[in-house]
């Protein structure tokens, strides 16, 4: 049964992050999972996320809460060497970009929905009625006829998936409109 649960977690993660891999932080008890408890996993290849909390509701639906766990400040070196991190930056630059999202709904549930809700709440409080998302995932608004960057959506789906994304936005009572190489989202 634990193997089946692992496969469901993998399927959910790979729907939004096709290159993702994971492992249990601590091997969970099956009874705890079946009782609706939350287990933590360690994740890789999910943008900046390092961990995720996993739970199942009473209907057997899986819920994934990705998060980044790390120290508040990077340790400072003594200046005598470049340190172990220099090779990692070169390796990250050589890696090909992550392929486009496989399942737009899962990406929206795991990544997009939270970011958009936070941005819309903030922008609405300041009188804005729409935002624009560029192909690279940058969220911008116009202020005094200038574009202002408000945030970025990680692993933003390719333009070929935007029609489906517009339908998902409508489920959250948002209006999505494809305008050239941007996706406009309005809430009033």
């Amino acid at each position: 049964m634990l193997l089946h649960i692992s496969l469901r977690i993998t399927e959910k993660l790979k729907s939004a992050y096709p290159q993702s891999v994971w492992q249990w932080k601590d091997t969970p008890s099956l009874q705890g999972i079946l009782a609706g408890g939350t287990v933590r996993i360690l994740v890789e290849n999910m943008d900046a996320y390092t961990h995720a909390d996993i739970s199942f509701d009473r209907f057997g639906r899986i819920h994934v809460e990705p998060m980044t766990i790390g120290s508040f400040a990077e340790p400072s070196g003594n200046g005598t060497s470049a340190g172990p991190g220099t090779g990692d930056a070169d390796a990250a630059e050589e890696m090909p970009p992550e392929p486009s999202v496989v399942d737009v709904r899962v990406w929206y549930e795991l990544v997009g929905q939270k970011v958009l809700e936070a941005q819309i709440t903030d922008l609405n409080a300041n009188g804005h009625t729409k935002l624009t998302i560029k192909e690279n995932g940058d969220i911008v608004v116009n202020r005094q006829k200038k574009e202002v960057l408000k945030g970025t959506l990680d692993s933003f789906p390719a333009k070929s998936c935007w029609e489906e994304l517009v339908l998902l936005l409508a489920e959250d009572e948002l209006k999505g409109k494809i305008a050239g190489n941007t996706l406009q989202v309005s809430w009033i």
Side-chain angles (χ1 to χ4, degrees):
M1 183 69 156
L2 201 54
L3 179 61
H4 176 72
I5 290 169
S6 296
L7 291 171
R8 291 212 35 221
I9 292 169
T10 299
E11 179 182 40
K12 184 85 167 185
L13 294 177
K14 286 193 176 287
S15 292
Y17 298 97
Q19 302 301 317
S20 64
V21 293
W22 68 276
Q23 65 182 15
W24 300 112
K25 185 171 187 305
D26 297 309
T27 305
S29 73
L30 184 58
Q31 291 77 18
I33 292 173
L34 296 176
T38 301
V39 280
R40 181 153 296 162
I41 60 172
L42 306 170
V43 298
E44 295 178 31
N45 302 327
M46 285 181 52
D47 293 323
Y49 298 117
T50 60
H51 295 74
D53 280 348
I54 307 292
S55 61
F56 289 85
D57 64 20
R58 63 188 183 117
F59 301 108
R61 293 179 297 223
I62 186 171
H63 299 278
V64 178
E65 184 69 35
M67 61 187 74
T68 303
I69 298 177
S71 60
F72 284 112
E74 292 293 321
S76 59
N78 59 10
T80 57
S81 70
T86 51
D88 295 342
D90 294 338
E93 290 174 346
E94 293 172 12
M95 287 183 61
E98 186 172 305
S100 60
V101 174
V102 174
D103 188 329
V104 176
R105 180 173 292 278
V106 173
W107 172 86
Y108 183 68
E109 290 172 0
L110 290 179
V111 180
Q113 190 172 29
K114 269 186 251 169
V115 173
L116 286 176
E117 283 177 0
Q119 289 295 333
I120 288 170
T121 300
D122 184 48
L123 291 169
N124 190 51
N126 292 320
H128 290 275
T129 58
K130 74 177 182 178
L131 58 81
T132 302
I133 307 170
K134 295 183 173 187
E135 278 189 283
N136 65 358
D138 285 350
I139 301 171
V140 297
V141 294
N142 286 322
R143 284 202 181 133
Q144 299 176 352
K145 298 183 182 182
K146 291 183 183 174
E147 247 180 29
V148 177
L149 179 66
K150 297 301 290 176
T152 302
L153 288 164
D154 294 330
S155 299
F156 189 60
K159 191 174 180 181
S160 60
C161 300
W162 289 4
E163 289 292 337
E164 184 179 352
L165 187 54
V166 167
L167 296 174
L168 291 171
L169 292 169
E171 290 177 15
D172 280 345
E173 299 179 14
L174 299 171
K175 294 176 190 136
K177 176 183 167 189
I178 299 169
N181 290 331
T182 64
L183 177 62
Q184 295 176 349
V185 180
S186 60
W187 48 91
I188 292 187

